[in-house]
Amino acid sequence: SGQQLTEVVGMEAEVTQKVPEVLCEAAGQEDAAGTDQASFADGESTSAQSATVSNGEESEEGKEMVEVKIIWNKNKYDLKIPLDGTGAKLKEKIHTLTGLPPAMQKVMYKGLLPEDKTLREIKVTNGAKIMVVGSTINDVLAVNTPKEVIQQEVKAEENKKEPLCRQKQHRKVLDKGKPEDVMPSVKGAKERLPTVPLSGMYNKSGGKVRLTFKLEQDQLWIGTKERTEKIPMGSIKNVVTEPIEGHEDYHMMAFQLGPTEASQYWVYWVPAQFVDAIKDTVLGKWQYF
């Protein structure tokens, strides 16, 4: 039996590319066998296990996978990811593929993809197209820093002025009263944007206007009877809002489309519950989604 044990250990030593001479007592042989078995389990011996380790997919072994197509900046990437992985995990994978940090990603699949839910929960299927919108560090430095400065300047200027709704330019619109098809409001509530356009509002000329938030295109569509303006959200420098006196469940709101206040596009009778969601969506904070 001692000879058989020596042969077995010798075979294991040969498989794991260790010195083939085993000259030790039975206890030492058991230790060596245990060491060799641990090495074998670590994937140093079989090609299948080596492939698993080298690909870094060890934690995904045996999990149900889903194949998706990531679309970012006109580039397409094929990705295989566990179906029970979260949106946050998907962002990490996208970071590896694109170099785009998770904090700068807006990931869309049937709306904004939640970080805390699994791909199974939001019903991601094989072949699904997942849109990614985001800017590189250089883009952020070039665009967002000036935007922050503009927002601070606008806020400081607002504090010096009388309430917006008392100014003559706004009174002529507000004095018309609520539009007959104004959307219901909920004072003190914060709701995510509805899936339908926000309608039943006036613009500065007193005409009807509707707002459509096209998340997949990263655009805000401002629609009137005459035309629809398609505005990249990244070009909107600031959003100014103020409750309408006597009707605090509705706001007046301006989208600043250029460097000065002269470029503000005003919208009146915006339901209060959507104000924060609109600002966060346009300015890229996304905290209500």
Side-chain angles (χ1 to χ4, degrees):
S1 59
Q3 183 180 357
Q4 291 176 344
L5 181 57
T6 302
E7 289 175 355
V8 169
V9 174
M11 290 172 61
E12 289 175 342
E14 185 177 351
V15 169
T16 56
Q17 298 178 351
K18 296 187 183 296
V19 179
E21 297 177 8
V22 182
L23 302 173
C24 54
E25 296 180 0
Q29 291 172 343
E30 291 175 0
D31 289 342
T35 301
D36 292 338
Q37 288 170 352
S39 298
F40 187 88
D42 286 340
E44 297 176 2
S45 305
T46 65
S47 58
Q49 288 175 324
S50 295
T52 300
V53 173
S54 63
N55 288 333
E57 302 295 335
E58 198 169 14
S59 62
E60 295 177 359
E61 187 176 352
K63 294 184 178 180
E64 186 177 355
M65 308 294 284
V66 62
E67 295 182 4
V68 298
K69 190 174 291 292
I70 305 297
I71 302 173
W72 173 68
N73 201 22
K74 297 182 180 178
N75 296 315
K76 296 181 180 180
Y77 306 86
D78 292 320
L79 178 63
K80 196 172 183 180
I81 188 170
L83 193 55
D84 290 312
T86 62
K89 284 290 184 185
L90 176 60
K91 281 191 169 187
E92 292 175 10
K93 294 284 188 180
I94 293 172
H95 182 200
T96 303
L97 286 174
T98 66
L100 191 64
M104 298 181 187
Q105 298 175 19
K106 286 188 245 182
V107 182
M108 270 84 67
Y109 178 73
K110 300 178 180 178
L112 193 74
L113 187 135
E115 290 192 3
D116 57 341
K117 291 191 175 180
T118 66
L119 304 189
R120 187 189 300 276
E121 287 174 323
I122 59 176
K123 296 179 169 55
V124 174
T125 56
N126 275 317
K129 293 181 179 179
I130 296 179
M131 307 288 296
V132 179
V133 177
S135 302
T136 63
I137 294 292
N138 290 338
D139 291 336
V140 171
L141 292 175
V143 178
N144 286 2
T145 302
K147 183 186 287 190
E148 293 293 329
V149 172
I150 291 171
Q151 290 175 31
Q152 291 171 7
E153 291 175 351
V154 169
K155 192 169 185 178
E157 195 66 24
E158 285 174 1
N159 293 336
K160 301 176 186 175
K161 296 180 179 179
E162 63 180 336
L164 293 168
C165 58
R166 295 183 189 175
Q167 295 176 19
K168 184 177 179 181
Q169 59 174 327
H170 301 303
R171 278 258 56 98
K172 65 181 183 181
V173 180
L174 294 173
D175 286 345
K176 292 179 64 174
K178 291 182 186 178
E180 70 279 0
D181 57 345
V182 69
M183 295 182 74
S185 66
V186 184
K187 185 179 178 181
K190 292 182 180 180
E191 297 182 9
R192 67 178 62 198
L193 292 176
T195 54
V196 297
L198 294 177
S199 59
M201 299 171 290
Y202 289 136
N203 60 16
K204 199 170 182 178
S205 63
K208 288 291 185 65
V209 65
R210 68 184 176 276
L211 303 177
T212 306
F213 296 88
K214 293 288 187 177
L215 300 184
E216 293 192 3
Q217 288 97 336
D218 206 31
Q219 293 178 345
L220 167 62
W221 291 11
I222 301 177
T224 62
K225 185 178 179 181
E226 294 79 23
R227 64 182 179 275
T228 297
E229 298 284 352
K230 300 180 180 180
I231 303 167
M233 292 202 194
S235 69
I236 300 174
K237 305 301 181 186
N238 195 38
V239 179
V240 178
T241 68
E242 183 182 286
I244 298 172
E245 277 190 333
H247 303 276
E248 281 76 12
D249 49 343
Y250 289 94
H251 281 230
M252 49 190 291
M253 176 178 289
F255 300 98
Q256 187 169 325
L257 308 180
T260 67
E261 291 184 12
S263 64
Q264 289 177 336
Y265 187 98
W266 283 96
V267 179
Y268 305 85
W269 303 103
V270 179
Q273 68 268 27
F274 300 130
V275 168
D276 283 329
I278 292 172
K279 291 175 71 173
D280 291 339
T281 300
V282 171
L283 298 179
K285 295 179 184 176
W286 299 91
Q287 65 190 45
Y288 289 98
F289 294 80

